[in-house]
């Protein structure tokens, strides 16, 4: 009798774990590559600013308490990145940023501007402390900045040229697409 109860508990625990994993992988606002392929039209419809359009101006508070507006960055290439601490693809993408983006384009007319979507300062600061990230991060707890660019799904990248025009808009994280983004940043800096 005790063995049957133990097996039943084990099966319930396994079912719960599978359900939790499925929910995480299918979170509607956290773009993962496999989910994106099946919902490409929906993903496209949630993008409010597309390549070729002027990037909407905004002002965002940074984690150090200062404020930064997109218009202040005119004359520089800007990679605007929307992310969240709870989003696995966002965290995966951020692990590449220091070496592959910030260090690579140091000393050039380039700014990486990650903006945390819908999270409080305390959450972002705890995440920065845990991960050791030291690069500036914007806070968008009310989603006012994000809502100008998209209505759903993260991570999102908007590559903006020196004149304020969006060159590329991407959703989700994929190594090959991230590598292509780096090449596009290089080409945009050359112009």
């Amino acid at each position: 009798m005790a063995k049957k109860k133990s097996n039943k508990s084990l099966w319930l625990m396994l079912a719960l774990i599978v359900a939790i994993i499925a929910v995480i992988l299918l979170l509607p606002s956290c773009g993962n590559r496999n989910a994106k392929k099946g919902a490409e039209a929906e993903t496209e419809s949630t993008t409010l600013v597309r390549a070729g359009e002027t990037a909407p101006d905004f002002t965002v508070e940074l984690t150090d308490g200062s404020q930064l507006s997109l218009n202040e960055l005119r004359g520089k290439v800007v990679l605007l990145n929307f992310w969240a601490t709870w989003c696995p693809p966002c965290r995966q993408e951020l692990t590449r940023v220091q070496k592959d983006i910030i260090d690579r384009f140091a000393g050039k007319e380039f700014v990486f501007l990650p903006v945390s979507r819908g999270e409080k300062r305390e959450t972002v600061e705890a995440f920065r402390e845990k991960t050791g990230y030291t690069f500036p991060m914007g806070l968008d707890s009310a989603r006012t900045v994000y809502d100008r660019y998209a209505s759903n799904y993260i991570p999102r990248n908007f590559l903006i040229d020196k004149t304020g025009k969006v060159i590329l808009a991407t959703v989700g994280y994929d190594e090959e697409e991230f590598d292509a983004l780096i090449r596009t940043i290089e080409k945009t800096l050359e112009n």
Side-chain angles (χ1 to χ4, degrees):
M1 185 76 158
K3 189 166 181 132
K4 273 188 172 182
K5 188 173 185 176
S6 175
N7 283 343
K8 185 176 182 181
S9 295
L10 180 62
W11 282 109
L12 283 172
M13 185 70 77
L14 280 171
L16 182 61
I17 290 170
V18 168
I20 290 170
I21 290 171
V23 167
I24 289 171
L25 291 176
L26 299 174
L27 279 173
S29 64
C30 190
N32 96 19
R33 224 358 106 198
N34 296 328
K36 183 181 158 195
K37 287 179 182 173
E40 210 166 296
E42 182 183 345
T43 301
E44 182 66 25
S45 71
T46 64
T47 303
L48 304 178
V49 180
R50 299 182 190 339
E53 297 178 358
T54 300
D57 188 33
F58 60 84
T59 299
V60 67
E61 183 178 359
L62 300 177
T63 50
D64 68 4
S66 65
Q67 293 199 345
L68 180 67
S69 74
L70 185 61
N71 277 344
E72 291 174 45
L73 300 175
R74 282 281 167 98
K76 297 182 180 190
V77 174
V78 177
L79 179 57
L80 175 61
N81 170 264
F82 292 105
W83 67 284
T85 61
W86 53 264
C87 169
C90 299
R91 291 193 311 261
Q92 189 178 11
E93 183 174 68
L94 283 174
T95 63
R96 292 192 59 190
V97 166
Q98 185 67 53
K99 180 178 152 234
D100 293 341
I101 299 285
I102 296 171
D103 294 348
R104 182 182 203 133
F105 300 113
K108 302 202 173 165
E109 294 294 312
F110 175 79
V111 174
F112 174 66
L113 180 56
V115 176
S116 173
R117 182 194 80 171
E119 295 185 295
K120 294 182 180 178
R121 171 185 297 280
E122 300 80 31
T123 304
V124 176
E125 286 177 349
F127 177 78
R128 287 170 54 88
E129 188 174 317
K130 180 180 176 182
T131 58
Y133 295 140
T134 57
F135 48 84
M137 292 180 167
L139 303 167
D140 187 23
S141 58
R143 292 178 51 150
T144 55
V145 177
Y146 178 82
D147 288 346
R148 291 181 180 183
Y149 285 79
S151 62
N152 205 359
Y153 301 111
I154 52 175
R156 279 189 181 266
N157 287 300
F158 292 87
L159 182 61
I160 304 165
D161 73 6
K162 295 174 184 179
T163 67
K165 184 187 290 187
V166 175
I167 299 300
L168 180 68
T170 66
V171 181
Y173 173 74
D174 174 79
E175 279 189 46
E176 290 174 14
E177 186 175 69
F178 194 81
D179 292 340
L181 173 63
I182 293 168
R183 290 189 297 274
T184 305
I185 293 170
E186 288 172 342
K187 288 177 190 169
T188 306
L189 282 167
E190 290 172 5
N191 295 333

